Amino acid sequence: MGQRESAQVAYVPKILRNMAEICKEMGVGPKTVKKWVEQGAPIAVEGDGRKVRYSSEMVRLQAWRTLRSF
């Protein structure tokens, strides 16, 4: 008899690559994102001054936001 193939599910993270993408996906403005960073949100901040870059994995950021709402 033949072998059964097991279905595999692969998780591909959605990376929010900049402030605009974070704001759009989370439905907030830049001031809120900056406040979240101060509060420990899983948002990577690179650079300083006018060349700051923000990025995050959407699922991790959504989970962080959900936990903070309780």
Side-chain angles (χ1 to χ4, degrees):
M1 307 228 162
Q3 291 181 329
R4 291 181 57 118
E5 291 185 32
S6 63
Q8 299 215 358
V9 177
Y11 169 70
V12 178
K14 181 171 185 178
I15 304 298
L16 306 174
R17 300 187 187 280
N18 55 47
M19 176 67 83
E21 287 183 10
I22 294 170
C23 290
K24 181 181 175 189
E25 290 293 333
M26 302 309 288
V28 298
K31 286 183 181 179
T32 299
V33 173
K34 290 175 183 178
K35 185 170 112 181
W36 287 353
V37 169
E38 292 174 5
Q39 295 172 347
I43 299 171
V45 181
E46 299 176 49
D48 57 2
R50 297 186 66 183
K51 299 205 180 237
V52 175
R53 292 181 12 182
Y54 296 83
S55 63
S56 184
E57 183 181 343
M58 192 164 113
V59 162
R60 291 185 67 217
L61 186 54
Q62 286 175 326
W64 178 87
R65 187 178 183 189
T66 299
L67 288 173
R68 298 212 21 106
S69 67
F70 289 107

